[in-house]
Amino acid sequence: MKIVFISGSPRRGGNTDFAVSYAISELNQTLKNADINEIVLRDLHIKPCIGCRGCMVSDWCSIKDDDFDEAFKEVLAANIIVEAAPIYWNSPPGIMKDFIDRTHAIYRGRFQRPMSGKKGFILSVAADSGFETHEDIMSSWLRVYGAQIKGRVQLLARESGDIEKSPIEMEKLKNFTESIVESTDAI
Ligand SMILES: Cc1cc2nc3c(=O)[nH]c(=O)nc-3n(C[C@H](O)[C@H](O)[C@H](O)COP(=O)(O)O)c2cc1C
């Protein structure tokens, strides 16, 4: 079983990084046979989609000289996809949105669903607001491609370290991680 985390915070060592590390460490302890990987978008070179529509004819993104292909192939090989990102202006940060845009190559209309059978999870972090619009983008990406959304968590944190300091946020993160473990029963 393969689990992939797509980590979309521009801030190294911030709240999303903390939450993803916590979840991965718990999952590694509980799921002995799972292959768990993290794609850290800020460490990759992923160019923005240029809207060339080349992927609609060739079945894959026309931009070849960056790290997108390898990252997206890893996502497509996973049984469970966890999208993790902070909220920037009520939406995912640019690096996450750029990645999402580039996956347009597998969009073949609403009736073909290349991610069907995969389970999706969404981890969002914000200081106080914007979850609805942010999750709309994050969840529609998974849903449009046919993945089933099995869980989500909305963590409230502003400065690095805020999640660890809050028993309430830690409890939400723990429950979220448990929901990923529970979803593996059906795989
Ligand atoms: C450019 C920018 C835009 C932000 N926009 C929002 C927002 O719309 N709503 C909100 O509650 N927090 C907003 N924040 C705060 C971050 O979501 C918050 O600090 C979060 O903990 C950052 O996560 P990270 O440590 O993983 O980077 C914004 C932060 C930045 C830098």
Side-chain angles (χ1 to χ4, degrees):
M1 182 185 41
K2 277 177 168 291
I3 304 177
V4 69
F5 283 74
I6 309 171
S7 206
S9 176
R11 174 156 68 170
R12 191 176 302 282
N15 294 309
T16 309
D17 279 10
F18 169 80
V20 168
S21 299
Y22 172 92
I24 290 179
S25 148
E26 292 293 307
L27 293 171
N28 271 324
Q29 283 174 43
T30 319
L31 304 169
K32 297 286 179 215
N33 296 321
D35 173 4
I36 305 171
N37 286 306
E38 182 185 1
I39 296 170
V40 183
L41 293 176
R42 68 168 174 270
D43 290 342
L44 302 180
H45 174 46
I46 294 182
K47 294 182 177 177
C49 171
I50 52 169
C52 70
R53 310 288 294 162
C55 61
M56 294 292 104
V57 227
S58 74
D59 279 350
W60 200 255
C61 184
S62 308
I63 302 171
K64 299 289 175 208
D65 55 344
D66 68 3
D67 298 323
F68 172 75
D69 279 17
E70 202 181 322
F72 193 34
K73 280 177 187 159
E74 196 163 325
V75 171
L76 290 175
N79 308 94
I80 295 177
I81 301 167
V82 186
E83 280 182 289
I87 296 179
Y88 275 20
W89 291 104
N90 302 324
S91 63
I95 53 170
M96 177 60 93
K97 183 61 166 47
D98 281 345
F99 180 77
I100 288 174
D101 289 348
R102 288 284 297 280
T103 68
H104 193 53
I106 63 165
Y107 181 75
R108 289 285 173 275
R110 63 181 64 230
F111 301 112
Q112 292 193 28
R113 298 155 72 83
M115 284 190 189
S116 58
K118 298 187 189 301
K119 297 178 198 305
F121 289 83
I122 299 166
L123 184 159
S124 312
V125 185
D128 52 30
S129 58
F131 288 103
E132 195 179 337
T133 41
H134 168 85
E135 283 189 346
D136 203 22
I137 297 166
M138 301 277 274
S139 64
S140 73
W141 179 68
L142 291 164
R143 259 189 293 102
V144 160
Y145 293 147
Q148 238 190 324
I149 295 166
K150 298 301 244 180
R152 61 184 74 202
V153 67
Q154 302 179 346
L155 297 169
L156 287 170
R158 187 184 298 271
E159 305 305 340
S160 295
D162 279 355
I163 297 175
E164 295 130 282
K165 285 187 215 144
S166 163
I168 294 172
E169 301 313 310
M170 283 306 296
E171 183 68 15
K172 281 152 67 176
L173 179 56
K174 186 168 164 275
N175 292 340
F176 175 73
T177 307
E178 281 169 8
S179 71
I180 300 176
V181 174
E182 280 158 23
S183 81
T184 63
D185 290 347
I187 293 176

